[in-house]
Amino acid sequence: MNFHVMTLFPDMITDGLNTSITGRAIKAGIMSVTAHDIRDYSDDKHLKVDDYPYGGGAGMVMRAGPVCDCYEDIVKCIGSRPRVVYMTPQGYTFTQSMAEEFAKEENLVILCGHYEGIDERALENIVTDYVSIGDYVLTGGELPAMVVIDTVSRLVPGVLSNEESAQTESFSDGLLEYPQYTRPADYKGKTVPEVLLSGHHANIEKWRHEKALERTKKYRPDMYEEYVSKHPEEFT
Ligand code: ADE
């Protein structure tokens, strides 16, 4: 899978993703991340890409020209018109199922905004998906883009090792993860729950499921309610 990020801060994207699991997948040629500098498409002698908003108000707006020209260059390079995800607090909240949809694409363009946003006409021309990573405002779309790329990349076949992907499955049952422990069995007087040392697999599974339910109920009552409605037999 190929990610194309349109940004004013290409180093942020490449520095962030060329490490850890995404870095390993890029080196192995399983996925690619290309950061396209929108500033390269400025027609201004000072390479400016923003201007004052029509109608007045605080902040600057990214101009349509450089954004659209950058996209058209990507289109020319890959020979198709890929989906464009615009990272914005004014979008649908990012979810695991959205990530599963994006993972089906061969090429995915991610557009990062800055300042007070991007000229609406550029968005109308090229954007297919408006995506927010949560109800808070960051200084730009680069960190959100990295969140999306990281999440989607772990769904791309070959990015995770078998062991790593086995761990992924447990979230998809709609519950939060149960607590994990490793050696030593006694850490400064805090011991590991007895059942985990018992070797009794059925009891261990039961304990983990109970802990997952407990946590989900506490931290994500919305997810818990949904789980209860989908598994009524467990709660009768
Ligand atoms: N840009 C600034 N804040 C953002 C958010 N919460 N999600 C996506 N893009 C953003």
Side-chain angles (χ1 to χ4, degrees), residues 87-89 131-134 136-138 140 144:
M87 305 313 310
T88 169
V131 177
S132 163
I133 61 161
Y136 39 82
V137 182
L138 293 106

Side-chain angles (χ1 to χ4, degrees), residues 11 22 37-38 41 55 59 72 102 115 121 140 150-151 161 178 186 206 232-233:
D11 291 348
T22 47
D37 192 342
I38 297 171
Y41 298 86
E72 294 306 331
F102 293 158
Y115 316 117
R121 294 165 296 181
D150 189 286
T151 312
S161 66
Y178 50 79
D186 184 323
K206 186 166 173 288
E233 71 292 348

Side-chain angles (χ1 to χ4, degrees), residues 139-190:
T139 55
E142 284 73 18
L143 285 172
M146 284 190 258
V147 168
V148 169
I149 294 172
D150 189 286
T151 312
V152 173
S153 67
R154 31 196 321 282
L155 304 173
V156 173
V159 169
L160 296 185
S161 66
N162 285 344
E163 203 181 320
E164 285 160 351
S165 19
Q167 287 169 10
T168 318
E169 304 311 325
S170 61
F171 190 79
S172 57
D173 64 6
L175 293 175
L176 301 182
E177 283 277 356
Y178 50 79
Q180 296 277 19
Y181 299 86
T182 187
R183 287 186 290 180
D186 184 323
Y187 176 69
K188 298 184 178 174
K190 291 188 90 145

Side-chain angles (χ1 to χ4, degrees), residues 22-210:
T22 47
R24 183 182 72 192
I26 291 166
K27 279 180 201 93
I30 299 163
M31 60 181 254
S32 72
V33 178
T34 314
H36 303 262
D37 192 342
I38 297 171
R39 205 173 292 283
D40 290 345
Y41 298 86
S42 170
D43 53 3
D44 175 88
K45 66 173 185 289
H46 302 295
L47 300 182
K48 262 186 60 160
V49 289
D50 60 338
D51 211 330
Y52 296 99
Y54 276 120
M60 302 291 271
V61 176
M62 279 168 72
R63 285 163 44 232
V67 173
C68 292
D69 291 351
C70 180
Y71 177 67
E72 294 306 331
D73 222 16
I74 296 170
V75 168
K76 211 185 289 169
C77 276
I78 66 179
S80 64
R81 298 188 75 79
R83 206 160 166 171
V84 179
V85 180
Y86 174 44
M87 305 313 310
T88 169
Q90 278 82 39
Y92 292 111
T93 308
F94 188 49
T95 59
Q96 191 69 27
S97 60
M98 232 185 242
E100 281 160 18
E101 278 302 305
F102 293 158
K104 293 177 187 160
E105 306 290 330
E106 184 57 32
N107 290 285
L108 189 68
V109 173
I110 303 187
L111 171 60
C112 304
H114 255 269
Y115 316 117
E116 285 307 303
I118 300 179
D119 188 308
E120 193 66 20
R121 294 165 296 181
L123 304 178
E124 285 167 5
N125 279 352
I126 67 169
V127 172
T128 54
D129 302 85
Y130 292 77
V131 177
S132 163
I133 61 161
D135 289 342
Y136 39 82
V137 182
L138 293 106
T139 55
E142 284 73 18
L143 285 172
M146 284 190 258
V147 168
V148 169
I149 294 172
D150 189 286
T151 312
V152 173
S153 67
R154 31 196 321 282
L155 304 173
V156 173
V159 169
L160 296 185
S161 66
N162 285 344
E163 203 181 320
E164 285 160 351
S165 19
Q167 287 169 10
T168 318
E169 304 311 325
S170 61
F171 190 79
S172 57
D173 64 6
L175 293 175
L176 301 182
E177 283 277 356
Y178 50 79
Q180 296 277 19
Y181 299 86
T182 187
R183 287 186 290 180
D186 184 323
Y187 176 69
K188 298 184 178 174
K190 291 188 90 145
T191 55
V192 171
E194 243 347 278
V195 64
L196 299 180
L197 310 174
S198 68
H200 192 301
H201 290 295
N203 283 353
I204 292 172
E205 281 314 303
K206 186 166 173 288
W207 180 88
R208 286 181 165 167
H209 187 61
E210 283 164 6

